[in-house]
Amino acid sequence: MFETLFTYPGVVRRHREGPLAAERAAYLIKLADNGMARGTILRLSSYCLCIAIALQRWPPDRCLDEAEVELLAEFASDVRQDAASVVWLLRAAMLGTSRAG
């Protein structure tokens, strides 16, 4: 999937070798199969890679409570949010500073 989306070998490699590559590729294929525009898929592919990298760095002993998961899901589902904003929220949650309120 990444080979069909990206032109530059370095970008293809970054996506192919990044965390959760198979899962991200399957998600992007599903979006394409559902008729999503290529530009939107390109944006979401970068977004997903950023989130996967943030999750890879997640401390194994740090679990989110239900309110934190709901907050992250709500924030991430807002299409106006960019990947950097969601990664910032994940980092705040990682440090235990994110609370729904």
Side-chain angles (χ1 to χ4, degrees):
M1 177 60 174
F2 303 124
E3 290 79 7
T4 61
L5 280 176
F6 302 107
T7 305
Y8 297 107
V11 176
V12 172
R13 185 176 53 255
R14 181 170 50 247
H15 280 270
R16 193 178 48 231
E17 295 176 3
L20 301 170
E23 292 83 356
R24 290 183 292 109
Y27 173 66
L28 298 172
I29 289 168
K30 186 170 186 109
L31 295 177
D33 289 347
N34 287 334
M36 185 169 282
R38 184 176 186 277
T40 304
I41 295 171
L42 282 168
R43 185 171 37 85
L44 289 174
S45 66
S46 294
Y47 180 91
C48 289
L49 179 59
C50 289
I51 300 302
I53 290 169
L55 289 173
Q56 184 182 41
R57 296 176 180 156
W58 195 265
D61 60 338
R62 172 67 173 105
C63 296
L64 297 175
D65 62 32
E66 185 176 345
E68 290 172 318
V69 171
E70 289 294 326
L71 177 66
L72 286 167
E74 182 180 331
F75 189 79
S77 69
D78 185 346
V79 296
R80 294 169 298 189
Q81 299 303 329
D82 62 5
S85 298
V86 176
V87 169
W88 177 87
L89 188 60
L90 278 170
R91 286 183 183 148
M94 185 186 311
L95 297 173
T97 59
S98 171
R99 296 283 178 223

